[in-house]
Amino acid sequence: MTNMQFAKRLQPLQSNVFADMDRAKAIALAAGQKVIDLSLGSSDLPVEAHVIEAITQSLHDRSTHGYLLFNGTLGFREAAANWYEQKFGIKVNPQTEVLPLIGSQEGTAHLPLALLNPGDFALLLDPGYPSHVGGVHLASGQIYPMPLRAENAFLPVFADIPAPVLAQSRMMVLSYPHNPTSAIAPLSFFQEAVAFCQQHNLVLVHDFPYVDLVFQETGEWADSSPNPKSLVPSILQADPEKSVSIEFFTLSKSYNMGGFRIGYAIGNAELINALRQVKAAVDFNQYRGILNGAIAALTGPQAGVKSAVAIFQQRRDAFITALHSIGWNVTTPKATMYIWAKLPSAWSQNSIEFCTQLVKQTGVAASPGAGFGKSGEGYVRFALVHEPPLLETAVERIAQFLY
């Protein structure tokens, strides 16, 4: 045994909702359970053939085999800028307002290192995605959780943030469509957020991985986004001058490229440059072939995106119908690949134990709401990453567990 000393910043990172459930799943498998894993939002759908072909061709090109520096990513940055302009009507400078990332998680985790001094506050959604919290801890910042409640449509109430906290705050992180609650936010909410951040000198960070995974219901979306090519708004539509805003997009959800680790930051040029400085100290860019595949995804046929949305909508409907049939009346989500379910009263204060016992006794793995933040207690998140028959089987097992 050695007497190693580790940094205090690691202490808050010791518990992670995905790691905890991974251990619980391993125990269930070792006990002989046939696990139906609904705990992780990793798409099971295939990457489109034209994307794979672009990557395949790159493998045989020796010029792609070396380090890729920033200037070599211009083609990808141009594709990202054009994608945004076409989708949202926002002009973007690919030279100064786009930065390639290894998924949006990398961006949200690294940006606090560029913005926070020790003790500064970050305003985070509660519940929210774990990397938002982790990045603040790594930067030795403080977290002020903005509670998300059903009665407020899972949107934060800015007026509830105490003045002393605001005085020490440097950034606010939003993410809509939202993981884990599946809530969406209208443009008017983003306009309010931009005005609030301008007033209080805050950087506004928007994590935007589920921009395309939105289900079109009749007559619902007239006020959500001013651009008919997107059913939900970009933060940059509320801040077209990019005065305080930066947005993160990943190809993991829209294009089923989670394992390829490709995304980008887009927004205020000073923020992009600051994040680029942090990134330069940590890594080079991805393999050029991955970027070529991402360019093909962003510029090529979009039929695969529409197909994926239709598939997840079918799965949503099948899972919700099955839950309703066993008496669990869960709200039907409008976006994402998740069901955010309020737990039955017997489990309303112990979502972790619910998920642990559920996978142990039935093999159905889900994510406890408490793992996403204090305000997530009383809920559980199911990821729709299997076909309807298996989702219905999962609900049958859940019914056996509950009743």
Side-chain angles (χ1 to χ4, degrees):
M1 294 289 291
T2 60
N3 189 27
M4 290 186 182
Q5 300 291 317
F6 292 96
K8 293 179 180 179
R9 67 174 59 90
L10 288 183
Q11 294 175 1
L13 306 180
Q14 291 176 0
S15 179
N16 177 284
V17 62
F18 302 123
D20 292 345
M21 283 311 302
D22 198 47
R23 284 189 289 270
K25 285 181 287 186
I27 293 171
L29 283 168
Q33 286 285 4
K34 293 183 178 179
V35 171
I36 301 177
D37 192 355
L38 308 181
S39 67
L40 190 62
S42 179
S43 176
D44 60 314
L45 303 180
V47 176
E48 290 292 289
H50 66 280
V51 176
I52 297 296
E53 178 62 22
I55 298 171
T56 301
Q57 292 298 321
S58 301
L59 291 171
H60 302 288
D61 180 356
R62 291 175 56 186
S63 70
T64 71
H65 295 179
Y67 288 126
L68 180 63
L69 301 182
F70 180 75
N71 287 336
T73 69
L74 180 58
F76 172 71
R77 288 182 279 127
E78 289 175 336
N82 290 336
W83 188 87
Y84 252 75
E85 182 172 346
Q86 293 169 13
K87 198 171 192 70
F88 300 110
I90 300 293
K91 287 281 188 182
V92 176
N93 185 337
Q95 294 281 5
T96 60
E97 296 178 339
V98 183
L99 182 69
L101 297 172
I102 306 172
S104 63
Q105 179 166 329
E106 181 216 341
T108 57
H110 280 158
L111 186 62
L113 293 170
L115 296 176
L116 301 180
N117 290 313
D120 287 344
F121 271 98
L123 310 175
L124 305 185
L125 300 180
D126 176 19
Y129 192 67
S131 75
H132 301 168
V133 172
V136 176
H137 286 312
L138 289 175
S140 299
Q142 299 188 75
I143 293 168
Y144 180 81
M146 299 184 292
L148 306 184
R149 301 186 174 94
E151 58 265 31
N152 297 323
F154 295 110
L155 300 175
V157 179
F158 301 139
D160 290 346
I161 303 170
V165 171
L166 275 176
Q168 289 182 257
S169 297
R170 298 294 176 264
M171 62 186 290
M172 175 190 288
V173 181
L174 302 176
S175 183
Y176 292 95
H178 184 239
N179 177 14
T181 70
S182 297
I184 60 170
L187 182 63
S188 57
F189 168 78
F190 286 133
Q191 291 168 333
E192 178 188 355
V194 169
F196 184 85
C197 289
Q198 289 172 333
Q199 177 185 355
H200 295 284
N201 196 28
L202 302 173
V203 170
L204 181 51
V205 182
H206 188 227
D207 197 7
F208 203 25
Y210 299 98
V211 52
D212 290 310
L213 289 186
V214 183
F215 311 121
Q216 187 162 15
E217 317 287 356
T218 304
E220 273 197 278
W221 302 104
D223 297 325
S224 292
S225 173
N227 192 315
K229 291 188 178 181
S230 176
L231 295 176
V232 290
S234 160
I235 198 69
L236 301 183
Q237 290 174 284
D239 186 14
E241 300 302 318
K242 309 179 190 75
S243 62
V244 295
S245 304
I246 185 170
E247 193 157 67
F248 294 102
F249 177 73
T250 174
L251 280 77
S252 297
K253 311 302 181 182
S254 298
Y255 300 99
N256 310 315
M257 295 180 69
F260 294 83
R261 309 313 305 137
I262 178 65
Y264 56 85
I266 197 161
N268 178 279
E270 289 180 281
L271 293 174
I272 292 292
N273 185 59
L275 183 56
R276 180 183 169 189
Q277 288 177 280
V278 173
K279 185 175 174 63
V282 176
D283 64 71
F284 286 111
N285 294 284
Q286 298 92 313
Y287 168 55
R288 187 189 296 272
I290 300 297
L291 268 67
N292 289 342
I295 292 169
L298 293 171
T299 62
Q302 300 298 299
V305 178
K306 294 180 180 179
S307 174
V309 173
I311 288 170
F312 281 113
Q313 184 164 354
Q314 181 188 32
R315 294 176 180 184
R316 176 202 68 173
D317 294 344
F319 195 71
I320 289 290
T321 299
L323 286 177
H324 287 181
S325 73
I326 67 169
W328 195 346
N329 294 317
V330 173
T331 302
T332 302
K334 298 177 180 178
T336 77
M337 56 173 65
Y338 307 113
I339 303 296
W340 184 241
K342 189 172 184 178
L343 284 166
S345 58
W347 297 94
S348 63
Q349 295 303 312
N350 206 340
S351 59
I352 294 175
E353 183 66 13
F354 173 87
C355 290
T356 301
Q357 291 301 318
L358 181 66
V359 72
K360 179 181 179 181
Q361 296 183 35
T362 73
V364 176
S367 292
F372 298 95
K374 182 180 178 180
S375 295
E377 184 57 279
Y379 289 85
V380 62
R381 192 197 74 176
F382 297 102
L384 302 171
V385 292
H386 296 289
E387 293 298 326
L390 198 55
L391 293 174
E392 290 163 351
T393 298
V395 175
E396 291 173 3
R397 296 188 190 180
I398 291 169
Q400 294 170 5
F401 174 76
L402 289 176
Y403 309 114

